[in-house]
Amino acid sequence: MSSLRQKIERTIDQGLGREPADLVIKNTRFLNVVTGELAEGDIAICGDRIVGTYESYRGRREIDGRHFTIVPGFVDCHLHVESSLVAPAEFDRCALPRGTTTAICDPHEMCNVLGSAALDVFLESAEQTAMDLRVQLSSCVPATHLETAGARLTAADLLPYRAHAKVIGLAEFMNAPGVFHKVPEVLDKIEAFWGTHIDGHAPLMKGYELNAYLSCGIRNCHETTSAPEAWEKLRKGMQVFIREGSACKDLHALAGIISTTTAPFLGFCTDDRNPLDIAEEGHIDHLVRGAIKAGAPIADVYRMASWSAARGFGLVDRGLIAPGQRADLVLLNDLAACDVAHVIAGGQWVDDALFDARSMPAPVGYHSIKLDKVEPSIFRVPASGPTGPVIGLREGQVLTDFLTLTLPYRNGERLVDLDNDVIKVCVLERHGKRRTIGRGFVKGLKLPRGAIASSIGHDSHNICVVGASDSDMAVAVNRLIDLGGGFVLAADNAVVTEMALPLAGLMSDKDFRTVAREIAALRQAVRGLGCPLAEPFLQMAFLPLPVIPHLKITDLGLVDVDKFELIAA
Amino acid sequence: MSSLRQKIERTIDQGLGREPADLVIKNTRFLNVVTGELAEGDIAICGDRIVGTYESYRGRREIDGRHFTIVPGFVDCHLHVESSLVAPAEFDRCALPRGTTTAICDPHEMCNVLGSAALDVFLESAEQTAMDLRVQLSSCVPATHLETAGARLTAADLLPYRAHAKVIGLAEFMNAPGVFHKVPEVLDKIEAFWGTHIDGHAPLMKGYELNAYLSCGIRNCHETTSAPEAWEKLRKGMQVFIREGSACKDLHALAGIISTTTAPFLGFCTDDRNPLDIAEEGHIDHLVRGAIKAGAPIADVYRMASWSAARGFGLVDRGLIAPGQRADLVLLNDLAACDVAHVIAGGQWVDDALFDARSMPAPVGYHSIKLDKVEPSIFRVPASGPTGPVIGLREGQVLTDFLTLTLPYRNGERLVDLDNDVIKVCVLERHGKRRTIGRGFVKGLKLPRGAIASSIGHDSHNICVVGASDSDMAVAVNRLIDLGGGFVLAADNAVVTEMALPLAGLMSDKDFRTVAREIAALRQAVRGLGCPLAEPFLQMAFLPLPVIPHLKITDLGLVDVDKFELIAA
């Protein structure tokens, strides 16, 4: 008899109560996200699926559920594991105990550095993680033609992965201008995945452009930042994922759209969230908590965190506490507070022993910073006059403003204006391809002195450095090269603090608790320099992303995102 | 350039409004089933999909939409086309103009007569119909071991069809006792379709049995007849399809469960509905109308008729009026009355020209009645005494009661009791296999004289005959044999009226309007004999179905459905 057949027979016997179930949570209370009711009784589990509710069951293992309220496991609808700054194995340890039993990730950060080798290691990892990690195929590597990435993934590169059990479809289709302009290699991907699942990415997109984008079969968006924007997307049938990352925080603006009517068309995601924030605030549980606190109906919030999210990806085997569904359960101390006590993932009790039992693949991506040391003079910004474009940073958003400002100007060189919070931002190609460098200015980072260098610079992950002084910028970049990637904070011609991210220059090879401590130290150090921003590292890491309006910078120079072209500094 | 690529480029150009759309419905009003709002404006269509809403569009063809309210095309979640008594081509002509743009059919009636040849002809037909006809693979042919069918479909017979573009999964899994008893050939099918879509069939199922059934991955039920039954199924995550066929009418009992909370987990279906009822009352539009009349919220009713239904089958490309969705549109004269004026199916205006352009396959299934003429004596019911089981028919339901009644008894033979509305019911094997005949009594048909014979007798479709007189029963059966199948009404030793169904003994080879007229004539004739039932032909056709509680009859004899075994007459 096949092992599947044995499983089917055990499922029937245990569902009928003819045999004791593998695991029973006795006398508990759970939220039924179909009816919105609180139910009482037992939950019986056979292997990885629920086989009984609303009846009394015996179990080979029984857990006293009296003190818990149980909800279906949460789905993170869109995230980049790399943004947790740890490898998938550690992300699993970090996020699963918060109730995120399914995570839909796009490994495009690592793909931009390593190409399809990154897909391979993510898929190998996904087969081992205790959470169900799904890997969308990165659609935009590089994100645009306006930057230099470490790799390029064409439709032909992605097709061999399409049928992998952990793949749902194509990841966030960021190159919307490429769609509207019918760029051949962009349409190659739409064509290759026509009729299958394609995730969206449509910040501020509206009107005819939104219509054309959706007409290509693109289904959802996690880049919505205002309620009117969300309503247009919903009205046009687009699933809206409310995001609360470390850099982007959209819940406050969007919680008001959640209702019984809209909940089936919504979901939550973190996109980019670091382990310190996960430790301090939570993961999807943080969004659930915040939405309820903002006044959204409790049952609808939990429905969108589980069922609505899962169905949006065609995952019909989860999102409900019901027979036949995956036993992904979050045991809460309190429903309204979303206070997670324990988690069951695919029928397994989540604890250290579960994580220790995984056979994770060896980390990859060491030695990915291919750049020679730099002199301070490389950061000079020659210009024809004092007035020019400046990136206007918005705190807590990845959207920027296109400012035109008059700066100090000397010897044909435009200079920082510290009195007005304008400092330099430069992006250095680091994949050993073109040795290009983009130079510009940013207002709003509130860094009064020193410099910060980062090997995280979305999405090509060239080295991004911001600074009030060219020499501190050089110190920071040169130390970053020695570290093999990471974050470096310099001031007064010396390194103040640093954090190594040697895996593709994106992720630490340490455990998530150590990484959380290192981030806390970095935050403290940057505040010590006088910068009050909550997340200056992440905010600067998005300055090079030329698919988010309005003004960005890559290794090739400043990018007017609305015109989708490079412009002079 | 591939034709798909051309389509993608046209989609983008037309969605952007850069080129005129293929078809634009101008200045119309439509129901947005995402938000529940009525929207105003244009609907732009390119090929088979919507490419624009909420913006103004030019079209190569423009339709004035001012007088319509438009809703998404309806999905019939479960039906047997054979029960429309016409071939798929005529069903398409009959139901599509009522707004049913997608129909999920199970061809198990024809499969019970012809085996996989019926799947072949349904799939060929589905590739031609103007509606999107989807064909579920019949899971229970024969329905049980308690009857003789014309064919047997095993898991191995079904597997070659699994990947067909028109196939979603396995059709209604009727053999629930086979699941609970772990019958090998039943579990073969569960195993073969594990993790894919399996439709349910769970009349009165509850408690542990419902849990075990759902645990096998079975997802929905169209056999729910009371609100408490529906609530248990919903609470256990089962999608409930509210049915209103010609024989089974569940809307009245179930309309009260429809709410904004439950609508995503509901759907409508017709199961078995003849063309006279479709002509007189409607198809899914009849259910929509009835649900609204019963007080269900309008937007929720339309949501469940389209989006909820489609998503329940993994059809993510339809059910909304939104860019990227199939252009399946129902143009209504009135929203609350669901008064259908016109239909657009996959971007095509539905009219006679559209139907005439199809290339339907030739009809199959002639000469399927393999039975010799009978004598009246064959219908005698020998018995050991006057008291025995009698099928208690419930008007408008396929559920029956298990009655034990004392009947007139003479010479070792139990007899009809016309004063108490008890007549004979017999089932004659007609596939040329065993020449078996089952004999019994039925109360509730209200046929005071004569006999009715039918070659429709779910699901094995042996000849079912009911009658107040053995000689009329013989006249009716013998004429049915000459016709090659159909319905025959006899009285006073002569045929009163008849209707030929020569395709597998199930379907007419005439057009649906002729068939509707023939049914009207049959109804009138049976009323002329004194029978007041609305649907005596369909009611009797379900008497042989031994998967519906409580007492049924097959060619092998009376079946106690609850015990799932044959019993003495």
Side-chain angles (χ1 to χ4, degrees):
Chain A
M1 193 185 290
S2 74
S3 67
L4 173 56
R5 186 58 159 262
Q6 287 174 345
K7 179 178 175 172
I8 293 169
E9 298 212 352
R10 292 177 63 239
T11 296
I12 294 166
D13 287 334
Q14 296 188 19
L16 285 172
R18 199 147 57 186
E19 299 286 340
D22 292 342
L23 173 63
V24 177
I25 309 172
K26 292 291 296 179
N27 305 311
T28 195
R29 198 163 79 134
F30 68 89
L31 179 69
N32 189 316
V33 302
V34 176
T35 62
E37 303 161 313
L38 280 170
E40 300 203 341
D42 298 349
I43 300 171
I45 295 166
C46 171
D48 62 356
R49 57 169 68 188
I50 298 166
V51 294
T53 54
Y54 291 93
E55 311 300 336
S56 179
Y57 281 91
R58 292 167 300 133
R60 293 194 297 180
R61 180 180 173 192
E62 297 188 352
I63 292 168
D64 180 358
R66 268 175 301 176
H67 303 299
F68 304 119
T69 302
I70 305 186
V71 295
F74 307 138
V75 179
D76 188 337
C77 294
H78 173 75
L79 85 159
H80 307 283
V81 169
E82 301 94 313
S83 295
S84 70
L85 307 180
V86 288
E90 284 297 307
F91 171 74
D92 192 27
R93 274 189 196 267
C94 178
L96 177 54
R98 307 302 299 231
T100 304
T101 51
T102 300
I104 316 284
C105 84
D106 169 10
H108 77 190
E109 317 301 354
M110 205 171 183
C111 286
N112 266 285
V113 180
L114 300 179
S116 61
L119 289 177
D120 294 329
V121 72
F122 264 85
L123 288 168
E124 280 173 55
S125 299
E127 286 171 343
Q128 294 296 329
T129 49
M131 68 165 50
D132 188 9
L133 184 66
R134 297 297 178 119
V135 182
Q136 300 290 59
L137 301 176
S138 304
S139 67
C140 301
V141 175
T144 70
H145 64 287
L146 304 168
E147 62 200 299
T148 308
R152 168 175 296 276
L153 290 179
T154 65
D157 295 322
L158 299 177
L159 275 173
Y161 295 95
R162 195 173 51 177
H164 191 287
K166 287 288 182 180
V167 169
I168 294 172
L170 208 51
E172 55 173 333
F173 212 93
M174 297 189 296
N175 195 347
V179 172
F180 306 141
H181 295 127
K182 301 189 288 187
V183 173
E185 53 267 40
V186 172
L187 296 200
D188 284 347
K189 289 171 184 166
I190 296 281
E191 185 175 353
F193 286 81
W194 187 257
T196 71
H197 185 98
I198 309 180
D199 282 332
H201 164 109
L204 302 184
M205 199 187 290
K206 62 185 181 180
Y208 293 98
E209 291 197 339
L210 182 58
N211 286 358
Y213 188 72
L214 288 165
S215 295
C216 290
I218 295 168
R219 300 206 181 136
N220 55 50
C221 181
H222 57 272
E223 291 284 348
T224 307
T225 48
S226 76
E229 186 184 351
W231 281 113
E232 179 175 349
K233 288 173 178 169
L234 285 172
R235 287 187 180 112
K236 291 181 173 174
M238 190 175 218
Q239 188 164 15
V240 172
F241 300 142
I242 300 178
R243 171 179 59 182
E244 195 80 353
S246 287
C248 303
K249 300 185 188 292
D250 305 319
L251 179 62
H252 178 73
L254 300 182
I257 66 172
I258 303 169
S259 72
T260 306
T261 296
T262 58
F265 303 90
L266 300 173
F268 290 121
C269 71
T270 60
D271 203 352
D272 299 286
R273 195 160 177 84
N274 71 46
L276 181 57
D277 288 344
I278 300 173
E280 289 182 345
E281 298 180 333
H283 199 245
I284 297 297
D285 59 313
H286 171 63
L287 278 141
V288 168
R289 202 156 36 240
I292 293 170
K293 205 172 284 178
I298 292 179
D300 295 312
V301 171
Y302 281 104
R303 180 188 278 192
M304 66 177 270
S306 54
W307 182 83
S308 309
R311 292 304 179 278
F313 292 94
L315 299 172
V316 299
D317 65 345
R318 69 196 70 190
L320 303 175
I321 298 179
Q325 295 274 296
R326 256 177 79 92
D328 288 342
L329 302 171
V330 184
L331 286 64
L332 301 174
N333 292 316
D334 184 276
L335 183 70
C338 192
D339 177 10
V340 180
H342 299 287
V343 176
I344 293 173
Q348 308 248 47
W349 187 259
V350 174
D351 56 15
D352 283 343
L354 180 65
F355 292 119
D356 293 344
R358 303 164 308 166
S359 315
M360 301 303 302
V364 301
Y366 287 99
H367 313 296
S368 73
I369 307 292
K370 294 165 186 160
L371 183 67
D372 297 328
K373 297 289 173 76
V374 298
E375 296 294 328
S377 59
I378 200 173
F379 300 114
R380 282 188 195 146
V381 185
S384 58
T387 304
V390 172
I391 300 171
L393 186 139
R394 300 184 191 177
E395 187 170 358
Q397 287 191 29
V398 295
L399 287 168
T400 62
D401 294 308
F402 189 129
L403 306 176
T404 302
L405 299 179
T406 301
L407 302 179
Y409 183 70
R410 212 164 46 223
N411 301 330
E413 192 182 334
R414 209 174 282 148
L415 303 173
V416 298
D417 182 358
L418 299 182
D419 292 342
N420 288 305
D421 186 24
V422 178
I423 60 173
K424 282 188 184 171
V425 53
C426 294
V427 176
L428 296 85
E429 194 275 319
R430 62 94 160 176
H431 301 292
K433 305 221 158 177
R434 295 204 267 193
R435 297 167 182 269
T436 36
I437 172 165
R439 301 172 183 88
F441 293 90
V442 59
K443 178 179 169 67
L445 256 170
K446 299 179 183 161
L447 185 72
R449 65 195 186 89
I452 310 172
S454 165
S455 56
I456 300 180
H458 294 278
D459 283 343
S460 288
H461 301 299
N462 289 305
I463 287 176
C464 181
V465 56
V466 295
S469 119
D470 292 356
S471 56
D472 286 338
M473 289 169 83
V475 168
V477 167
N478 289 334
R479 178 59 188 158
L480 196 69
I481 294 167
D482 288 338
L483 287 176
F487 294 116
V488 177
L489 182 55
D492 304 325
N493 290 314
V495 170
V496 175
T497 192
E498 64 186 31
M499 174 179 186
L501 299 172
L503 307 181
L506 299 171
M507 292 174 283
S508 174
D509 51 8
K510 298 178 184 156
D511 66 279
F512 77 89
R513 289 187 185 88
T514 302
V515 171
R517 277 194 301 273
E518 290 179 350
I519 295 169
L522 274 178
R523 281 190 189 169
Q524 195 173 2
V526 78
R527 263 167 222 145
L529 283 184
C531 173
L533 263 62
E535 278 294 345
F537 298 96
L538 279 178
Q539 293 249 252
M540 64 178 280
F542 282 97
L543 293 177
L545 185 59
V547 294
I548 306 276
H550 296 280
L551 183 61
K552 296 279 177 168
I553 184 166
T554 74
D555 63 299
L556 303 182
L558 286 168
V559 177
D560 179 333
V561 179
D562 301 313
K563 292 187 178 152
F564 209 52
E565 61 187 27
L566 291 161
I567 58 170
Chain B
M1 194 185 288
S2 73
S3 67
L4 173 55
R5 186 59 158 260
Q6 287 174 345
K7 178 178 176 172
I8 293 169
E9 297 211 352
R10 292 176 64 241
T11 297
I12 294 167
D13 287 334
Q14 296 187 18
L16 285 171
R18 200 149 54 188
E19 300 286 341
D22 292 342
L23 173 64
V24 177
I25 310 172
K26 292 291 297 178
N27 304 312
T28 195
R29 198 161 78 133
F30 68 90
L31 179 68
N32 190 316
V33 302
V34 176
T35 64
E37 302 161 316
L38 280 170
E40 300 204 340
D42 298 348
I43 299 172
I45 295 166
C46 171
D48 62 356
R49 57 168 69 185
I50 299 166
V51 294
T53 54
Y54 292 93
E55 311 298 335
S56 179
Y57 281 92
R58 292 167 299 134
R60 292 195 297 181
R61 179 179 174 194
E62 295 188 354
I63 292 168
D64 180 358
R66 268 175 301 177
H67 303 298
F68 303 120
T69 302
I70 306 186
V71 295
F74 308 138
V75 180
D76 188 336
C77 295
H78 175 75
L79 83 159
H80 307 283
V81 169
E82 301 94 314
S83 295
S84 71
L85 307 180
V86 288
E90 284 298 307
F91 171 73
D92 192 26
R93 274 189 196 267
C94 178
L96 177 55
R98 307 303 299 232
T100 303
T101 50
T102 300
I104 316 285
C105 84
D106 169 10
H108 77 192
E109 317 301 355
M110 204 169 184
C111 286
N112 266 285
V113 180
L114 300 179
S116 60
L119 290 177
D120 294 329
V121 73
F122 263 85
L123 287 168
E124 280 173 54
S125 300
E127 285 171 344
Q128 294 296 328
T129 50
M131 67 165 50
D132 188 9
L133 184 65
R134 297 297 178 118
V135 182
Q136 301 289 57
L137 301 176
S138 305
S139 68
C140 301
V141 176
T144 69
H145 63 286
L146 304 168
E147 61 201 299
T148 308
R152 168 175 296 274
L153 290 179
T154 64
D157 295 322
L158 299 176
L159 275 171
Y161 296 95
R162 194 173 52 176
H164 191 287
K166 288 288 182 180
V167 169
I168 294 172
L170 208 52
E172 53 174 333
F173 211 94
M174 297 190 295
N175 195 347
V179 173
F180 306 141
H181 295 129
K182 301 189 288 188
V183 173
E185 53 267 39
V186 172
L187 296 200
D188 284 347
K189 289 171 184 164
I190 297 282
E191 185 175 353
F193 287 80
W194 188 256
T196 72
H197 186 98
I198 308 179
D199 282 333
H201 164 109
L204 303 184
M205 199 187 290
K206 63 184 181 179
Y208 293 97
E209 291 196 341
L210 183 58
N211 286 356
Y213 188 72
L214 288 165
S215 295
C216 291
I218 296 167
R219 300 206 181 138
N220 54 51
C221 181
H222 57 271
E223 292 284 349
T224 307
T225 48
S226 76
E229 186 184 352
W231 280 114
E232 179 176 350
K233 287 173 178 168
L234 285 172
R235 288 188 179 110
K236 291 181 172 175
M238 190 173 218
Q239 188 164 15
V240 172
F241 301 142
I242 299 178
R243 172 178 59 182
E244 195 81 354
S246 287
C248 303
K249 303 189 187 287
D250 304 319
L251 179 63
H252 178 73
L254 299 182
I257 67 171
I258 304 170
S259 72
T260 306
T261 297
T262 57
F265 303 90
L266 300 174
F268 290 121
C269 71
T270 61
D271 202 351
D272 299 287
R273 195 160 177 84
N274 71 46
L276 181 58
D277 289 343
I278 299 173
E280 290 182 345
E281 299 179 331
H283 198 243
I284 297 297
D285 58 313
H286 171 64
L287 278 141
V288 168
R289 203 158 34 243
I292 293 170
K293 205 172 284 178
I298 294 180
D300 296 312
V301 171
Y302 281 105
R303 180 188 278 193
M304 67 176 271
S306 55
W307 182 83
S308 310
R311 292 305 179 278
F313 292 93
L315 299 172
V316 299
D317 65 345
R318 69 197 70 189
L320 303 175
I321 298 179
Q325 295 275 294
R326 255 177 80 92
D328 288 342
L329 302 171
V330 184
L331 285 65
L332 301 174
N333 293 316
D334 184 277
L335 183 70
C338 193
D339 176 11
V340 180
H342 299 287
V343 175
I344 293 173
Q348 308 247 47
W349 187 258
V350 174
D351 57 15
D352 282 345
L354 180 66
F355 293 120
D356 292 344
R358 303 164 307 165
S359 315
M360 300 304 301
V364 301
Y366 287 99
H367 313 297
S368 74
I369 307 291
K370 294 165 187 160
L371 182 67
D372 298 329
K373 297 289 175 76
V374 298
E375 297 294 328
S377 60
I378 201 173
F379 300 114
R380 283 188 193 147
V381 184
S384 57
T387 304
V390 172
I391 300 173
L393 187 139
R394 300 185 191 176
E395 186 169 359
Q397 286 191 31
V398 294
L399 286 169
T400 62
D401 295 307
F402 189 128
L403 307 176
T404 302
L405 299 179
T406 301
L407 301 179
Y409 184 72
R410 211 163 48 226
N411 302 330
E413 193 182 332
R414 208 175 282 147
L415 302 172
V416 299
D417 182 358
L418 299 181
D419 293 341
N420 289 304
D421 186 23
V422 178
I423 60 173
K424 283 189 184 172
V425 52
C426 295
V427 177
L428 295 83
E429 195 274 321
R430 63 96 160 174
H431 302 291
K433 303 218 159 180
R434 295 204 266 194
R435 300 168 181 267
T436 36
I437 173 165
R439 300 171 182 89
F441 293 90
V442 59
K443 178 179 170 68
L445 257 169
K446 298 178 183 162
L447 185 73
R449 64 197 188 89
I452 311 172
S454 165
S455 56
I456 300 180
H458 295 278
D459 286 339
S460 289
H461 301 298
N462 289 305
I463 288 178
C464 180
V465 57
V466 295
S469 116
D470 292 356
S471 57
D472 286 338
M473 289 168 82
V475 168
V477 167
N478 289 333
R479 177 59 188 158
L480 196 69
I481 293 167
D482 288 338
L483 288 175
F487 294 115
V488 177
L489 183 55
D492 304 327
N493 290 314
V495 170
V496 175
T497 191
E498 64 188 30
M499 173 178 186
L501 300 172
L503 307 181
L506 299 171
M507 293 173 285
S508 173
D509 51 8
K510 298 178 185 157
D511 66 279
F512 77 89
R513 288 186 185 87
T514 302
V515 172
R517 277 194 301 274
E518 290 179 351
I519 295 170
L522 274 179
R523 281 190 189 168
Q524 195 172 1
V526 78
R527 263 168 223 145
L529 284 186
C531 174
L533 262 62
E535 279 294 345
F537 299 96
L538 279 177
Q539 293 249 254
M540 66 178 277
F542 281 97
L543 293 178
L545 184 58
V547 296
I548 305 276
H550 296 278
L551 182 62
K552 296 279 175 168
I553 184 167
T554 74
D555 64 298
L556 303 182
L558 286 168
V559 177
D560 180 332
V561 179
D562 302 313
K563 291 187 180 156
F564 209 53
E565 61 187 28
L566 292 161
I567 58 170

